[in-house]
Amino acid sequence: MIVQSNMRTPGWEGFPHGADVGIRGWGPTLEQAFEQAALALTGVLTDADVETRNSVEVECDAPNVEVLFVEWLNAIIYEMAVRNMIFGAFKVTIEDLHLRGTIWGEPVDQKKHAPACEPKGATYTALRVAQGEDGTFLAECVIDV
C-alpha cells in the first residue's frame, strides 16, 4: 500500500477494519481526495497495474458531501460488477453536491489482477469527509467485502 507522508500531496491508503477494509484518500481539493480514495479501493483489490483503455462515465447526487463520497464509491463498485472491470484512473468534478466522474480501466483478468476480495459496497462506517486546518481534504470510509 502507498502512503503519502505529506498530506498536501495527493495520496491514499487502506486500513484494516475487522472483516472489512477501510480506505482513505487525501489531496488539496475535495475532488482529488475522492479520486485518491478510488485509487485506494483499487489498491486493496489488486497490486497489479491496471490499464486505462476503457472509460466509463458516472454521475451521482447526494444531500451532503459525506453521502456523495459513499455514492461515488458505490458507483465505481457497481460499474466493476456489471462490466466485470477493474479501474485504475479516476477524474472527478463536484458542483453543488453533484458529482461527475470518469473512470478508466480494463476487464478483470484473474491471472493478472488476482483480486484479493470482491467489494460489496461502501458503508457509513468510519465515514469522514473533512478539510483540515492546512486546507487538505480527507475522505475515508469502510468498504464491505
Side-chain angles (χ1 to χ4, degrees):
M1 258 169 247
I2 299 170
V3 179
Q4 294 285 344
S5 59
N6 176 356
M7 295 291 277
R8 294 196 55 78
T9 301
W12 62 268
E13 66 184 349
F15 59 91
H17 189 274
D20 296 318
V21 63
I23 60 169
R24 69 174 53 100
W26 59 85
T29 68
L30 181 62
E31 290 86 352
Q32 286 177 323
F34 277 38
E35 293 163 2
Q36 292 297 315
L39 287 170
L41 175 62
T42 301
V44 299
L45 300 177
T46 185
D47 290 330
D49 289 332
V50 177
E51 294 181 34
T52 56
R53 50 183 140 139
N54 301 320
S55 67
V56 176
E57 302 295 319
V58 298
E59 290 191 46
C60 41
D61 294 287
N64 61 56
V65 71
E66 290 84 8
V67 174
L68 188 63
F69 179 57
V70 171
E71 292 296 318
W72 159 241
L73 294 173
N74 281 331
I76 296 166
I77 292 167
Y78 172 81
E79 295 298 338
M80 291 170 66
V82 299
R83 297 174 187 273
N84 194 34
M85 289 180 68
I86 191 161
F87 298 98
F90 307 88
K91 182 66 180 160
V92 169
T93 58
I94 299 171
E95 186 174 317
D96 298 326
L97 297 175
H98 177 78
L99 181 148
R100 290 176 189 227
T102 305
I103 58 181
W104 291 269
E106 65 178 316
V108 172
D109 178 328
Q110 293 295 324
K111 287 184 181 179
K112 175 183 176 182
H113 300 118
C117 60
E118 181 177 342
K120 295 178 184 129
T123 73
Y124 293 97
T125 304
L127 175 60
R128 184 170 75 145
V129 178
Q131 186 174 18
E133 290 180 16
D134 65 352
T136 301
F137 287 87
L138 174 74
E140 64 185 6
C141 74
V142 170
I143 304 296
D144 182 17
V145 294

